[in-house]
Amino acid sequence: MICTTIQNKTLDEIFEILESGEVEMAEIRLDRCPDLSDEDIDSLFSGTDVPLLATCRVAGTPDDGADFFAAAKEAESRLSIAIEAGAAFVDLEMEAPPVMGKHIRRKAQECGATLIRSFHDFEGTPSSADLCETVQRAIQFGADIVKIVTTAHCAADVERTLSLYDAPMVLRPHDQMMAPLEEGRLIAFCMGEEGRASRMDCLAKGAPYTYAALEEGAQAAPGQWPFKEMRTALYGSRSAWKGGEVRMPASKSFAQRAIIGAALADGTSHLRGYSPCNDSEAAIAVARSLGAKVTLEDRVLEITGIGADGGNIASLSELHTGESGLLTRLM
């Protein structure tokens, strides 16, 4: 998946980009969209089906004193609004004040946002040991996804950064044992011209997504690909699906509950969109054993329940639930 970075845009301009149907995921750089008010942020993150990532970098370091912490407080406020409004992801740099990190982590957990803790080195690429230590710190800081971005000056820098995908070991807090970082929890690539290809290579290594600029000249970091160029390189001539009807398989856990509920109810129920599987077929068999009448036509189950009459329940000594643990517990 490609995450398109959007910056220096107004609310109307951002909505126009998102509604174009081309962007599959977008990073909103709140620190670079100063015209967005708190109300705009709420409207943006609650008003689109495109997965949005909220980022609000804090300029400077704690050594800058009051100015840095005032900026951090403002960034925390903007990120919190985005999370509460429905941001799918939130990116917080490793250098953020610990209190800010604690607050954003709690807010993300409460609202169901995926927390990214990110590290950027704009000068070079640290040693392998330092990179692995950074990954471990990010996990300890509560990261759902760890983002490591370094600057490559040679091929060895790129190789060192991408080697993080080769099962980096992190400390499990509950038992103090080392374990591999789960697939999909790491985004690692390099900035700069030398690291340009790593922005694509990271996907093959297991990154859940990568970043692209909205267009040429709008790069948020050195070496960032323009979206259209990256889309062509990644997807070739394949175009995005523009809509239509897709028949998705029914959730078997929902289907089992609905079948048994209909079997025990008064009257006739119609369950649409049914697709067969062993566990759902077992639920139909149970419904019939209870005395319900079940027919299936064009993915619609018609079930006449036993209601207050009780069907065959009084005469049953056993029910066969197949290999379904859920159905066994329900019955």
Side-chain angles (χ1 to χ4, degrees):
M1 179 177 283
I2 302 173
C3 179
T4 303
T5 300
I6 299 177
Q7 56 188 349
N8 303 316
K9 299 292 183 182
T10 65
L11 180 63
D12 289 342
E13 290 171 335
I14 295 173
F15 270 127
E16 184 178 355
I17 294 166
L18 298 179
E19 292 168 1
S20 68
E22 294 188 347
V23 174
E24 51 189 355
M25 174 182 176
E27 176 190 35
I28 309 298
R29 287 293 301 268
L30 295 174
D31 54 314
R32 295 183 179 179
C33 293
D35 293 336
L36 293 181
S37 66
D38 290 352
E39 293 75 16
D40 290 340
I41 295 172
D42 180 82
S43 175
L44 173 59
F45 283 87
S46 63
T48 179
D49 291 331
V50 177
L52 296 184
L53 189 167
T55 300
C56 194
R57 302 279 180 236
V58 180
T61 68
D63 293 337
D64 297 329
D67 289 344
F68 172 79
F69 290 100
K73 186 175 181 180
E74 173 65 18
E76 180 182 332
S77 174
R78 291 168 75 81
L79 288 174
S80 295
I81 293 170
I83 295 170
E84 290 176 354
F89 303 84
V90 58
D91 185 322
L92 186 63
E93 62 267 34
M94 297 281 287
E95 298 80 8
V99 173
M100 179 182 179
K102 182 178 179 180
H103 291 170
I104 293 299
R105 177 184 181 182
R106 183 185 301 122
K107 184 74 69 174
Q109 289 174 336
E110 291 173 352
C111 299
T114 297
L115 177 61
I116 302 166
R117 295 305 301 260
S118 59
F119 168 82
H120 297 79
D121 190 327
F122 292 93
E123 302 298 327
T125 299
S127 67
S128 295
D130 287 343
L131 288 174
C132 287
E133 182 182 353
T134 300
V135 172
Q136 291 188 35
R137 284 197 298 117
I139 295 295
Q140 291 168 355
F141 286 173
D144 298 308
I145 294 177
V146 181
K147 179 185 176 187
I148 304 292
V149 183
T150 69
T151 299
H153 298 292
C154 61
D157 290 341
V158 176
E159 182 179 355
R160 193 156 62 251
T161 299
L162 293 182
S163 69
L164 286 173
Y165 290 102
D166 299 329
M169 304 298 288
V170 296
L171 188 66
R172 295 187 302 205
H174 62 281
D175 58 12
Q176 298 298 299
M177 297 288 288
M178 300 299 290
L181 186 65
E182 297 93 332
E183 185 175 353
R185 293 191 65 187
L186 177 66
I187 301 171
F189 57 83
C190 296
M191 295 181 285
E193 192 60 34
E194 191 70 39
R196 194 170 187 272
S198 69
R199 292 177 176 271
M200 284 280 288
D201 294 340
C202 67
L203 294 173
K205 290 283 190 175
Y209 65 85
T210 189
Y211 293 79
L214 180 62
E215 56 195 0
E216 186 64 54
Q219 282 82 353
Q224 195 173 50
W225 297 49
F227 168 71
K228 290 185 177 179
E229 182 181 349
M230 177 169 277
R231 182 179 62 185
T232 299
L234 183 60
Y235 302 129
S237 60
R238 296 187 296 274
S239 59
W241 181 67
K242 296 298 183 181
E245 181 178 343
V246 175
R247 288 196 168 190
M248 302 298 292
S251 162
K252 67 178 183 180
S253 61
F254 284 7
Q256 288 174 290
R257 289 177 169 91
I259 290 166
I260 299 305
L264 297 175
D266 284 314
T268 301
S269 302
H270 295 86
L271 309 180
R272 294 174 173 82
Y274 176 77
S275 52
C277 68
N278 289 342
D279 288 355
S280 296
E281 293 294 296
I284 291 175
V286 166
R288 287 173 172 151
S289 296
L290 295 175
K293 296 179 180 179
V294 184
T295 60
L296 173 63
E297 184 176 350
D298 193 25
R299 298 189 77 196
V300 178
L301 281 174
E302 182 176 285
I303 302 176
T304 301
I306 60 177
D309 293 336
N312 301 329
I313 290 180
S315 63
L316 289 174
S317 60
E318 61 184 19
L319 282 173
H320 296 281
T321 56
E323 297 181 352
S324 173
L326 170 62
L327 186 58
T328 302
R329 291 193 296 273
L330 290 176
M331 301 319 300

